[in-house]
Amino acid sequence: MRTDSSPGTLPAREHLPAATAGTPVLDVVIPVYNEEKDLQPCVLRLHDHLTRTFPYPFRITIADNASTDTTPDVAQLLETRIPQVRSFRLEQKGRGRALRTVWSASDAPILAYMDVDLSTDLNALLPLVAPLISGHSDLAIGSRLARSSRVVRGAKREFISRSYNLILRGSLQARFSDAQCGFKAIRRDVAQVLLPLVEDTGWFFDTEMLVLAERAGLRIHEVPVDWVDDPNSTVHIVRTATEDLKGVWRVGKALATGSLPLDRLTRPFGDDPRDREIMDVPKGLARQLVGFCFVGGLSTLFYLLLYSGFRQFSGSQVANALALLVSAIANTAANRRLTFGVRGSSGAVRHQAQGLVVFGIGLALTSGSLVALNAATSDPGHSTELAVLIAANLAATVLRFLLFRVWVFPERRESEDRPAPVTGSPAPASPTYPTGAPRGPLPQRGTAFPPHDTTHFRAGEAADGTGRDATMRLQPVRPHDTDPGDVR
């Protein structure tokens, strides 16, 4: 039986060790496109803030999204002057593409990003990454819609933002409050497994990443932020909203059909080794009971409608049999998908056959109770018949749920939950930035870092200098790669 302690691809969350001074703990990515005026003030302000307040080594990475102005020159100048700054040039547009490429090539255990306008108050940065460093959470987001957030922006953007999040809640059952705030962080071990599942390369990248993480059961930490709208923002609202709605439809369809292998993102139960040894703990029993009751109610209404329709051209016994048969098939299909979370067509015919057997057992139980009642008394009262049928149907319902859970849709064994190994040659290790610094204890805040080797490489080029395509292993599960172009 699958349990909450069954392992997946991801290990248990652990506090990051404070003994690797050669590698920055935090890598903050700033995606930019034609930001020659704002880039330098942003980087200088961020660097000053991190130097004064962040107790671990850090790096600031400028991800240039194919800028056509002097943004690349400004980025290289900052890289030359500040040891903790790196520049990364991409020849294709798309904020999502920039984040996925840079995050996949980074060696820092905590990966973050923020918008170049620094609309979000930087005092929220340490609270953003602290739960990831401690091992408490997998992702962290800044929220402009939390009650304690303080936000200054126009009514139009406020309406669009809240409407978008309502759409996410209604269509994708998202529980996080703010999908598009440009202030997020993720653990590197999570990013390595999650990012290949994210298909979007534009502004919907954030939303898709968060929805998949939440559906997989990863922990998302929200930080209320102080946020001031940038009146000079170049984001094209209508085009961005259109692409976001297309992304909502695509992700919702993928989740409904079960085409996303979200079991790769499962975590063990707890971080204490004693917790990981818990066995035979039923998973999702309360949720399955609620789903079973909900499906049962809908099936009853469906049965009554079918019976009324069949009764127009057949007798009561024939109409009852046909209505029960069709509703039983629909009930099994609905419970298969909604109650027990079985996706795909594999085993569907067998499940339907077993469902009919379960239905037959329940029918025999209810019919047998009436036969027994008629044998006990020659003229039972109507109230007595109803009481016997209610009791028999309750017993049949309980029996049907148990048979569904144990026989028709049994919990998979732990070994079956583990993802199958990928065939072919193993993917090369993620390229890392050269640091050029010896390992030793963490430097104190304000301590100057030794100079680092600088490396420039184009989008899709490995950071190890071999010229291999470092993004090949980052192709999405679905083969097509949407590229809406510049959605700014």
Side-chain angles (χ1 to χ4, degrees), residues 65-224:
N65 289 283
S67 295
T68 57
D69 60 1
T70 61
T71 297
D73 299 330
V74 177
Q76 293 180 12
L77 179 63
L78 291 169
E79 180 180 26
T80 303
R81 293 182 176 180
I82 306 175
Q84 292 84 25
V85 174
R86 294 289 181 271
S87 64
F88 194 112
R89 170 72 176 180
L90 293 98
E91 300 300 337
Q92 292 177 296
K93 301 176 184 178
R95 182 181 67 171
R97 177 181 287 108
L99 292 176
R100 180 166 57 187
T101 304
V102 177
W103 278 355
S104 300
S106 178
D107 56 351
I110 303 298
L111 310 169
Y113 96 89
M114 62 182 59
D115 292 334
V116 69
D117 56 17
L118 293 185
S119 296
T120 305
D121 183 22
L122 291 178
N123 287 326
L125 182 56
L126 185 55
L128 182 79
V129 301
L132 309 186
I133 295 175
S134 68
H136 174 271
S137 301
D138 299 294
L139 298 91
I141 64 174
S143 175
R144 300 164 295 185
L145 302 181
R147 289 189 176 182
S148 57
S149 298
R150 296 183 297 179
V151 177
V152 178
R153 62 177 168 182
K156 180 180 178 181
R157 285 184 176 269
E158 181 76 10
F159 174 78
I160 293 175
S161 179
R162 292 190 178 273
S163 299
Y164 180 64
N165 282 280
L166 286 176
I167 291 174
L168 294 181
R169 288 177 178 270
S171 59
L172 300 178
Q173 289 79 51
R175 295 189 297 272
F176 47 85
S177 64
D178 193 352
Q180 290 288 32
C181 180
F183 198 71
K184 295 181 177 67
I186 185 173
R187 288 177 63 102
R188 181 174 178 266
D189 58 345
V190 176
Q192 288 179 326
V193 184
L194 177 59
L195 294 186
L197 304 181
V198 180
E199 180 176 337
D200 191 78
T201 59
W203 290 92
F204 188 70
F205 174 87
D206 303 53
T207 302
E208 185 171 359
M209 179 181 67
L210 292 175
V211 169
L212 299 187
E214 188 176 72
R215 286 297 187 95
L218 298 180
R219 185 174 294 161
I220 301 175
H221 177 73
E222 294 197 16
V223 178

Side-chain angles (χ1 to χ4, degrees), residues 366-399:
T366 54
S367 300
S369 63
L370 289 178
V371 172
L373 177 63
N374 292 326
T377 175
S378 58
D379 188 20
H382 183 64
S383 59
T384 304
E385 286 184 346
L386 288 179
V388 170
L389 283 176
I390 290 174
N393 275 285
L394 287 176
T397 300
V398 173
L399 178 62

Side-chain angles (χ1 to χ4, degrees), residues 231-487:
N232 298 319
S233 175
T234 58
V235 177
H236 195 294
I237 297 179
V238 176
R239 187 186 307 169
T240 302
T242 302
E243 295 298 333
D244 286 345
L245 292 177
K246 291 180 181 179
V248 169
W249 170 259
R250 175 177 53 79
V251 172
K253 182 180 179 181
L255 292 173
T257 58
S259 61
L260 292 170
L262 298 182
D263 54 345
R264 298 179 185 177
L265 301 171
T266 56
R267 288 272 196 193
F269 178 82
D271 293 335
D272 193 308
R274 294 170 297 180
D275 294 335
R276 302 173 201 171
E277 295 174 358
I278 295 177
M279 299 300 293
D280 297 329
V281 179
K283 181 179 181 180
L285 179 60
R287 181 190 60 78
Q288 290 179 356
L289 282 172
V290 172
F292 184 80
C293 293
F294 177 75
V295 171
L298 293 181
S299 298
T300 301
L301 294 176
F302 185 50
Y303 160 77
L304 294 176
L305 292 175
L306 289 175
Y307 179 81
S308 300
F310 292 143
R311 191 67 179 85
Q312 301 296 324
F313 57 84
S314 63
S316 59
Q317 292 293 343
V318 175
N320 179 63
L322 290 176
L324 286 175
L325 177 62
V326 176
S327 61
I329 294 175
N331 180 275
T332 301
N335 276 308
R336 180 178 186 268
R337 175 64 182 88
L338 300 178
T339 304
F340 298 97
V342 180
R343 301 180 176 91
S345 59
S346 177
V349 176
R350 175 173 57 84
H351 292 157
Q352 285 291 350
Q354 292 173 316
L356 291 177
V357 173
V358 173
F359 164 75
I361 295 175
L363 181 62
L365 181 60
T366 54
S367 300
S369 63
L370 289 178
V371 172
L373 177 63
N374 292 326
T377 175
S378 58
D379 188 20
H382 183 64
S383 59
T384 304
E385 286 184 346
L386 288 179
V388 170
L389 283 176
I390 290 174
N393 275 285
L394 287 176
T397 300
V398 173
L399 178 62
R400 185 163 65 250
F401 176 76
L402 294 176
L403 289 175
F404 270 172
R405 181 177 174 85
V406 176
W407 181 48
V408 183
F409 309 111
E411 296 285 350
R412 294 174 293 176
R413 294 183 178 88
E414 179 177 323
S415 59
E416 296 174 345
D417 277 344
R418 299 176 182 175
V422 180
T423 58
S425 59
S430 298
T432 60
Y433 292 91
T435 59
R439 294 187 179 274
L442 287 177
Q444 300 297 321
R445 282 183 295 179
T447 303
F449 291 89
H452 296 263
D453 295 334
T454 59
T455 302
H456 299 278
F457 46 96
R458 300 163 70 88
E461 179 179 335
D464 56 8
T466 60
R468 295 172 300 175
D469 190 350
T471 62
M472 288 302 293
R473 65 181 184 282
L474 302 175
Q475 293 299 323
V477 175
R478 291 164 299 280
H480 60 281
D481 183 17
T482 58
D483 183 13
D486 181 16
V487 296

